[in-house]
Amino acid sequence: MAPDTSSTPGATSLTPQALDEKPSAPPVNILPSLIARIYSIAHPALLLALGATRFKALVADPTKELISTLPWLTLLQLFYVIVCLPPAGSTPSTETSASTSVDSKSSPRSSGVGSAVRHGKHGKRKQHANSWACIWSRSLPVLLSLSLTFALATPVLTILLVLFGAPLTTHNSETVLCAAHMAVLSATALIYAHGVDRTVWNEVWGIARPADAVWGSALGTGLGAWLGAIPIPLDWDRPWQAFPITILVGAYIGYAVGSLLSRTPLVYGKCVKFTSEDSSETEKKTN
């Protein structure tokens, strides 16, 4: 007769739901190179400077200005993710170790003169192949993030803007362009760093991702846009209160604040946790 392992002390029973659960992806770190460290701090300031210099033109003609600045914003965001972030499916440590191993194998100082001559061409071929593989590994996430940002994230944010009070029958071009700017700010880095990992995106929609530069900037964009809508209904009669100027300004400021704040030791890696009423009641009963 087979022993009953379910009642054995220390034995763990795995349900199908537990088997399907996937561990959460860790926080995304900025790449360790010097240019990545510097530009990751300069990038939010550069975006704020772009918004400040074009603010008068945005107030004068929002539609025209949003169209003209969208390509520049997209290029800046793509440059940021390529230089500063690891692509989906890789980590900075693996990239660094791979490049180090190739350099050490192809270095002529690690062996004699004869071996350097003998293996020189072979090392150059390996290094050349590794560089092309690195470029290809970054090109695919860039194309994926660029296409999904405009094909999926922009329509979703357009619907959310309408649900949160944006005009439905008027200002349609302004709504779509505002959503496109917010999508480039928030979704480009998320898609580049995480791809289409369902577990990560469930955490994104549940506001349960650990804080890092990628998630912090996306969350800051949404919160900033939400706070930026506050001045619109006020009777100040200012031209900059027109939709969607303050929403867009709030999104840019929120992006910069979230990107920098989420990298501080006080916030990095922390998660927002929501407790249900049932769990709080059970905790009170146990206490």
Side-chain angles (χ1 to χ4, degrees):
M1 184 175 180
D4 187 9
T5 57
S6 60
S7 60
T8 305
T12 57
S13 59
L14 296 178
T15 61
Q17 183 178 2
L19 290 173
D20 292 337
E21 289 181 356
K22 187 178 179 182
S24 172
V28 178
N29 291 315
I30 300 296
L31 292 176
S33 64
L34 180 61
I35 185 173
R37 297 288 183 182
I38 295 175
Y39 188 73
S40 63
I41 298 175
H43 180 70
L46 188 61
L47 291 183
L48 290 179
L50 175 65
T53 54
R54 304 303 303 172
F55 182 73
K56 290 184 178 180
L58 179 64
V59 174
D61 192 347
T63 303
K64 181 180 178 181
E65 187 60 26
L66 289 175
I67 293 175
S68 62
T69 54
L70 184 59
W72 295 105
L73 173 63
T74 305
L75 289 176
L76 287 174
Q77 282 295 95
L78 291 179
F79 182 76
Y80 165 70
V81 299
I82 292 173
V83 172
C84 301
L85 300 178
S90 68
T91 58
S93 58
T94 57
E95 291 184 356
T96 306
S97 61
S99 61
T100 305
S101 62
V102 171
D103 291 340
S104 62
K105 289 180 181 179
S106 60
S107 177
R109 293 184 180 180
S110 60
S111 57
V113 178
S115 61
V117 174
R118 188 167 56 252
H119 298 289
K121 293 183 179 180
H122 184 63
K124 287 182 179 179
R125 288 177 183 175
K126 273 191 173 182
Q127 193 172 6
H128 185 67
N130 183 71
S131 62
W132 276 108
C134 183
I135 293 173
W136 181 250
S137 66
R138 292 177 182 273
S139 299
L140 287 179
V142 165
L143 294 175
L144 180 66
S145 62
L146 187 62
S147 58
L148 291 182
T149 294
F150 288 104
L152 188 60
T154 299
V156 169
L157 287 175
T158 301
I159 295 173
L160 289 177
L161 285 175
V162 173
L163 292 177
F164 275 90
L168 180 60
T169 57
T170 60
H171 299 79
N172 294 327
S173 58
E174 288 90 341
T175 303
V176 174
L177 289 170
C178 179
H181 277 252
M182 291 177 60
V184 173
L185 287 173
S186 59
T188 304
L190 279 172
I191 299 172
Y192 180 84
H194 298 295
V196 291
D197 190 341
R198 188 178 68 176
T199 304
V200 173
W201 286 100
N202 286 338
E203 292 176 346
V204 168
W205 288 110
I207 317 179
R209 281 290 304 156
D212 54 28
V214 176
W215 171 234
S217 59
L219 185 61
T221 300
L223 289 176
W226 180 62
L227 293 175
I230 294 176
I232 293 179
L234 301 179
D235 55 350
W236 293 344
D237 295 331
R238 295 289 188 269
W240 50 264
Q241 288 181 263
F243 175 82
I245 297 172
T246 57
I247 294 177
L248 201 62
V249 171
Y252 273 76
I253 295 175
Y255 174 89
V257 173
S259 177
L260 297 176
L261 184 63
S262 59
R263 295 172 56 188
T264 60
L266 185 64
V267 181
Y268 179 80
K270 303 295 191 302
C271 297
V272 179
K273 294 183 179 180
F274 300 96
T275 56
S276 61
E277 294 181 358
D278 296 335
S279 61
S280 60
E281 289 179 359
T282 54
E283 288 179 359
K284 290 180 180 179
K285 290 180 180 179
T286 54
N287 294 332

